[in-house]
């Protein structure tokens, strides 16, 4: 007992000395907070300054961004708590059942995250000010709060986006405050600073961890598992301030305490805002459903997650006029977030014991008595192995436990593929994920077939069940099914070069196979695929299998070594054959064995295109395929030499999209042999246009009938109450509805899909089957609907519509993806279909 006491006394002495050494943000930075935007590196300098001078502040660099900016956490508390920090952290994991043993400390953890959206730029400025006040030894009030909590501050989740915005703004701003929103400084150019380097919205990436910032941050989060998490944002300049309690829909898994503490925090913060005469609102807009936000992900991990939204945003800059003519300044916005941060620290201190008790109860109750209808989930062993491996990677990242199912018969459960209840048996190859585990709630959320909506007006998608995202054969059971043992991932046996076979054979099943193909093509190795299934040496392979033949690669130096080493690096199991004479199917010399040409690919971006969809494709090429990609500006398309490219990808876009000169040039290039891949909104560039097969209606009669029905519905809606307008508007849209798409496995777009693919529909687009094109992916009927919100106006018409298709244009081809196949980078099965379009279609 004496050693910790002596250490605490020494820390207190050091704190007294440091009190005079700590500079305020204004003293350190050389300007008053709110006068300008602080570059990220100067924020890091200030945090380092405080940490160097205060022994009770620990600064951790937990990673770095794509642009090599450091990602940091400041961890601080009272001297006594900091002397016992590791014990407190481990005790917290014991409360969650993630470590064995009984906790001996009683200190909750309060985590605050700022600037997940780069151009919601007040966040990092407020983090600097809040950090100073909370850590300042001379602030007796905050020092008292630190006695019974650990505070963790992440001052900038998204440094790359933040500096993109801040550096642009600091260059454009007037020295004299200019609040005119038409002024240049209030109108940032495409793509804006909201997203990270790869233009991903990091506030939608908590669960999926596609981006490097999320991957590194969530490793730290899993090590601490806080009781409270605040996520600081900005909203439009005409809105005041939003704080918890959250809006409907609220997921049924949320506990009474999670609701109650939001109310406790909201009322306390409102008290300070009332004193200052500031406006605010609660219980509107920002719901708690989609699991990958900075409030919902912590909620589903036992914490109190809260979104804080200050009015302003990138448009406000250093100060801008709102709709009523008030100037919303950066200083004013800092004050709002600063107040909320200190209120959270105060309420954590006041409710410390209850926070810990309820946190412990959350995990013990859910792991012993899961709330959801479904208690266990089974992934069948015959599922696509590449996609299964990717799913297990995601479960590992989130700390979700799984095991082997073992041989069991007489089971019954919801069959994700059919959408109906079915009987089944398990085998030693199957995987079971039981909800009787510490991460019980997160498991239930990830796999729930049909999230229950108590309100259809939601801020994001309404379905995300992982068996659909990964296109796996799976069941959800209403009964408990415990693992029969530890699941051993299939061991990878390295391929060894030997006598050159007639062909190396690689199955085409997932993204890793597409990356393997991309790597071989970059090495100048010729790769082929068969248009028909075949059998050789007693082994059967489907159409689309990769063939790396000796013939055609005679001049590749170290051919066998390059092929096998590339396969080993990517975890690809190669099979071989010593003959080109097939037992079934076409021989390897057949014209139906197609050569895959290495395509030169361009992606179009810029004003008028979806920066998020652009970023998804860009990231897919650079981080998953590792394949060269040119990026072109939409507004310059008419001036480019398109002959340099074989494939041009058009991400989702709106408005006019390409101007006439650019469209004419693109179609001329296509007719000469180019391939266009149009995604989501870009499909509308071709729909119902002369010279194109894609249509929204089969016949003129069908179109007239639909128009008549729409007119009748519109007349009825005119009589509805005004306040029902938002609800009526969503009745014609979709918010993440999942549909089964029947894929044509005889066409390259269907290779590797097993004849099925699940599309995530976030638009109201409905296209009829094409008369003169290839209907490779079809929503065959209304029974193809699986889950998620879709408005009644379009739901009945979605059956018998096109999802994925292509049509010839001269010697070239246009591929249509009605929906985004790689939504947020986590819709894994769509990556294979997109790879088919890039590499295999039109060869």
């Amino acid at each position: 007992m004496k050693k910790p006491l002596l250490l605490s006394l020494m820390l207190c002495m050091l704190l007294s000395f440091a009190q005079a050494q700590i500079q305020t943000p204004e003293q350190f930075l050389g300007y008053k907070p709110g006068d300008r935007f602080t570059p990220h590196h100067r924020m890091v300098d200030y945090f380092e300054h405080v940490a160097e001078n205060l022994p009770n502040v620990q600064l951790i660099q937990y990673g770095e961004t794509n642009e090599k900016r450091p990602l940091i956490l400041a961890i601080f508390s009272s001297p006594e708590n900091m002397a016992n920090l590791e014990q407190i952290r481990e005790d917290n994991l014991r409360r969650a059942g993630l470590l064995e043993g009984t906790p001996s400390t009683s200190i909750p953890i309060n985590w605050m995250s700022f600037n997940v959206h780069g151009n919601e730029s007040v966040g990092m400025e407020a983090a600097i000010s809040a950090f100073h006040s909370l850590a300042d030894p001379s602030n007796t009030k905050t020092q008292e709060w630190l006695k019974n909590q650990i505070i963790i501050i992440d001052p900038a989740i998204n440094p790359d986006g933040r500096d993109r915005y801040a550096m642009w703004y600091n260059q454009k701003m007037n020295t004299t405050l200019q609040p005119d929103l038409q002024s240049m400084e209030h109108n940032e150019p495409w793509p804006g600073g909201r997203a990270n380097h790869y233009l991903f919205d990091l506030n939608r990436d908590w669960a999926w961890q596609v981006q490097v910032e999320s991957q590194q941050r969530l490793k730290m989060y899993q090590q601490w598992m806080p009781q409270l998490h605040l996520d600081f944002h900005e909203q439009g300049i005409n809105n005041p301030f939003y704080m918890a309690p959250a809006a409907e829909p609220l997921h049924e898994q949320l506990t009474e305490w999670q609701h109650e503490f939001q109310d406790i925090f909201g009322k306390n913060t409102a008290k300070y805002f009332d004193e200052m005469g500031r406006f605010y609102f609660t219980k509107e807009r920002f719901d708690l459903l989609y699991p990958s936000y900075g409030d919902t992900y912590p909620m589903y991990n036992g914490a109190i997650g809260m979104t804080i939204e200050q009015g302003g945003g990138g448009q406000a800059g250093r100060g801008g006029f709102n709709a009523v003519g008030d100037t919303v300044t950066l200083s004013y916005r800092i004050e709002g977030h600063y107040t909320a941060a200190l209120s959270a620290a105060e309420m954590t201190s006041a409710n410390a014991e209850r926070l810990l008790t309820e946190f412990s109860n959350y995990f013990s109750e859910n792991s012993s008595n899961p709330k959801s209808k479904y208690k266990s989930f089974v992934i069948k062993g015959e599922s696509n192995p590449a996609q299964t491996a990717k799913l297990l990677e995601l479960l590992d990242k989130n700390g979700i436990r799984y095991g082997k199912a073992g041989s069991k018969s007489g089971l019954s459960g919801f069959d994700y593929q059919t959408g109906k209840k079915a009987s089944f048996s398990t085998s030693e190859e199957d995987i079971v994920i039981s909800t009787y585990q510490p991460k019980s709630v997160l498991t239930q959320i990830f796999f729930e077939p049909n999230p229950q909506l108590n309100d259809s007006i939601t801020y994001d998608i309404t379905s995300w069940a992982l068996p659909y995202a990964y296109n796996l054969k799976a069941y959800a059971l209403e009964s408990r099914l415990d693992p029969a043992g530890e699941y051993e991932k299939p061991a990878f046996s390295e391929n060894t070069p030997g006598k050159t076979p007639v062909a190396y054979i690689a199955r085409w099943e997932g993204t890793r196979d597409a990356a393997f193909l991309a790597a071989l093509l970059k090495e100048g190795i010729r790769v082929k695929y068969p248009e028909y299934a075949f059998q050789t040496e007693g082994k059967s392979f489907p159409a689309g299998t990769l063939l790396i033949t000796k013939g055609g690669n005679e001049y590749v130096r170290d051919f066998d070594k390059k092929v096998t080493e590339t396969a080993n690096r990517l975890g690809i199991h190669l099979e071989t054959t010593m003959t080109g004479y097939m037992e079934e199917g076409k021989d390897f010399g057949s014209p139906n064995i197609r050569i895959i040409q290495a395509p030169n690919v361009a992606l179009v971006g810029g004003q008028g295109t979806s920066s998020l969809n652009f970023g998804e494709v860009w990231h897919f090429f650079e981080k998953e395929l590792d394949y060269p990609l040119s990026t072109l500006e939409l507004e310059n398309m008419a001036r480019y030499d398109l002959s340099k490219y074989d494939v041009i990808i058009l991400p989702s876009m709106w408005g006019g999209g390409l101007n006439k000169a650019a469209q004419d040039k693109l179609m001329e290039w296509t007719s000469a042999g180019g391939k266009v891949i149009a995604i989501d909104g870009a499909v509308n560039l071709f729909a119902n246009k002369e010279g194109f097969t894609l249509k929204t209606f089969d016949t003129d009669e069908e179109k007239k009938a639909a128009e008549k029905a729409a007119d009748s519905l519109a007349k009825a809606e005119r009589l509805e109450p005004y306040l029902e307008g938002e609800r009526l508007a969503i009745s014609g849209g979709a918010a993440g509805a999942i549909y089964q798409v029947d894929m044509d496995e005889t066409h390259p777009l269907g290779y590797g899909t097993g004849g099925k693919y699940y599309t995530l529909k976030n638009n109201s687009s409905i296209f009829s089957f094409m008369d003169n094109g290839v209907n490779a992916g079809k929503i065959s009927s209304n029974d193809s609907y699986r889950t998620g919100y879709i408005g009644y106006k379009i739901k009945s018409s979605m059956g018998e519509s096109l999802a994925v298709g292509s049509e010839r244009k001269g010697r070239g081809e246009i591929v249509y993806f009605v929906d985004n196949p790689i939504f947020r980078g986590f819709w894994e099965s769509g990556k294979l279909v997109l790879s088919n379009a890039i590499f295999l279609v039109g060869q």
Side-chain angles (χ1 to χ4, degrees), residues 408-571:
K408 297 181 179 68
S409 59
L411 300 174
S412 177
F414 174 87
D415 183 343
Y416 286 89
Q417 291 198 330
T418 65
K420 300 175 182 177
K421 197 167 186 178
S423 299
F424 69 100
S425 300
T426 59
S427 69
E428 294 294 324
E429 288 71 39
D430 295 346
I431 301 166
V432 62
I433 306 105
S434 171
T435 61
Y436 294 85
Q437 62 166 301
K439 290 297 188 82
S440 174
V441 173
L442 193 62
T443 300
Q444 296 169 61
I445 298 293
F446 275 6
F447 286 91
E448 59 186 340
N450 291 289
Q452 295 301 308
L453 286 177
N454 52 12
D455 195 320
S456 55
I457 298 178
T458 179
Y459 203 63
D460 211 281
I461 62 171
T462 54
S463 55
W464 48 81
L466 296 183
Y468 295 125
Y470 289 78
N471 196 6
L472 301 173
K473 185 171 179 56
Y475 294 90
L477 289 74
E478 297 179 32
S479 57
R480 178 171 183 168
L481 181 63
D482 291 326
E486 184 177 349
Y487 177 77
E488 295 183 8
K489 296 177 182 179
F492 176 69
S493 299
E494 288 203 347
N495 305 284
T496 55
K499 181 181 177 182
T500 303
V502 167
Y504 291 99
I505 303 173
R507 296 182 184 272
W508 185 254
E509 297 174 326
T511 307
R512 67 184 181 192
D513 306 304
F516 176 55
L517 170 60
L520 295 176
L521 294 177
K522 287 197 301 179
E523 288 282 354
I525 295 172
R526 181 172 292 176
V527 185
K528 304 177 182 180
Y529 74 85
E531 293 184 301
Y532 295 88
F534 67 95
Q535 181 175 308
T536 180
E537 299 179 11
K539 295 179 181 178
S540 297
F541 300 90
T545 298
L546 300 183
L547 304 175
I548 307 102
T549 56
K550 177 169 61 177
N553 286 302
E554 300 93 334
Y555 302 108
V556 176
R557 187 176 178 181
D558 297 326
F559 169 68
D560 296 278
K561 183 179 179 183
K562 284 182 178 178
V563 172
T564 54
E565 286 186 350
T566 303
N568 290 339
R569 175 169 58 84
L570 294 169

Side-chain angles (χ1 to χ4, degrees), residues 510-779:
T511 307
R512 67 184 181 192
D513 306 304
F516 176 55
L517 170 60
L520 295 176
L521 294 177
K522 287 197 301 179
E523 288 282 354
I525 295 172
R526 181 172 292 176
V527 185
K528 304 177 182 180
Y529 74 85
E531 293 184 301
Y532 295 88
F534 67 95
Q535 181 175 308
T536 180
E537 299 179 11
K539 295 179 181 178
S540 297
F541 300 90
T545 298
L546 300 183
L547 304 175
I548 307 102
T549 56
K550 177 169 61 177
N553 286 302
E554 300 93 334
Y555 302 108
V556 176
R557 187 176 178 181
D558 297 326
F559 169 68
D560 296 278
K561 183 179 179 183
K562 284 182 178 178
V563 172
T564 54
E565 286 186 350
T566 303
N568 290 339
R569 175 169 58 84
L570 294 169
I572 303 295
H573 173 67
L574 294 174
E575 299 183 73
T576 61
T577 181
M578 301 306 292
T579 178
Y581 186 92
M582 296 299 101
E583 296 161 11
E584 294 180 14
K586 308 292 184 179
D587 297 329
F588 286 174
S590 167
N592 295 111
I593 305 296
R594 314 289 295 191
I595 297 174
I596 302 173
Q597 304 292 344
N600 292 316
V601 186
L603 171 65
V604 178
Q607 191 64 40
T609 67
S610 165
S611 61
L612 296 175
N613 192 205
F614 175 93
E616 289 157 355
V617 178
W618 182 24
H619 180 266
F620 179 57
F621 268 82
E622 294 219 324
K623 293 299 182 180
E624 297 197 63
L625 296 182
D626 189 20
Y627 193 79
L629 179 72
S630 296
T631 52
L632 308 178
E633 287 279 355
L634 180 69
E635 64 181 7
N636 294 324
M637 284 296 289
R639 297 197 290 269
Y640 288 128
D641 176 8
L642 301 184
S643 66
K644 296 176 180 289
Y645 314 111
D646 305 297
V647 178
I648 293 178
I649 302 174
L650 302 177
S652 188
M653 55 184 67
W654 53 85
L658 295 166
N659 59 39
K660 187 177 186 308
Q663 286 194 50
D664 290 345
K665 188 166 190 176
L666 183 64
M667 287 305 97
E668 181 182 338
W669 168 84
T670 307
S671 295
K675 179 168 57 183
V676 174
I677 300 174
I679 300 173
D680 199 349
V683 171
N684 294 314
L685 290 173
F686 310 99
N688 301 317
K689 303 291 176 61
E690 186 177 350
F692 298 94
T693 302
L694 189 66
K695 300 287 188 292
T696 49
F697 296 99
D698 278 330
T699 64
D700 288 338
E701 289 74 18
E702 184 181 307
K703 182 178 181 181
K704 289 177 183 177
E707 289 173 347
K708 184 177 180 180
D711 185 57
S712 176
L713 190 61
K715 287 179 180 178
E717 288 178 353
R718 288 175 204 161
L719 302 177
E720 293 291 335
Y722 170 75
L723 290 178
E724 290 297 308
E726 184 178 7
R727 201 166 300 281
L728 289 170
I730 67 169
S731 64
I738 296 175
Y739 277 83
Q740 178 182 304
V741 175
D742 295 321
M743 298 297 295
D744 182 352
E745 291 186 272
T746 70
H747 189 272
L749 282 169
Y751 291 166
T753 63
K756 287 181 181 176
Y757 160 65
Y758 296 92
T759 191
L760 185 69
K761 181 161 287 294
N762 286 302
N763 60 50
S764 57
S765 299
I766 303 173
F767 297 102
S768 62
F769 299 144
M770 295 183 289
D771 292 332
N772 298 310
V774 177
N775 300 294
K778 299 173 289 187
I779 298 176

Side-chain angles (χ1 to χ4, degrees), residues 81-153:
N81 292 335
M82 292 302 289
N84 204 23
L85 186 63
E86 184 61 12
Q87 181 68 41
I88 293 169
R89 185 189 72 80
E90 290 183 352
D91 279 352
N92 200 50
L93 297 182
R94 291 184 178 98
R95 287 187 186 90
L98 297 170
L99 284 181
E100 297 292 331
T102 303
S104 60
T105 59
S106 301
I107 306 296
I109 297 162
N110 174 5
W111 186 310
M112 304 184 197
S113 296
F114 298 83
N115 247 138
V116 66
H117 293 146
N119 59 2
E120 295 177 8
S121 44
V122 70
M124 195 182 83
E125 308 295 337
I128 295 170
S129 295
F131 177 49
H132 172 260
S133 291
L134 289 168
D136 182 7
S138 67
N139 190 324
T140 55
K141 183 181 289 185
T142 61
Q143 294 307 299
E144 189 66 26
W145 296 341
L146 292 182
K147 290 180 180 178
N148 62 347
Q149 68 183 298
I150 304 292
I151 294 181
I152 300 177
I153 289 181

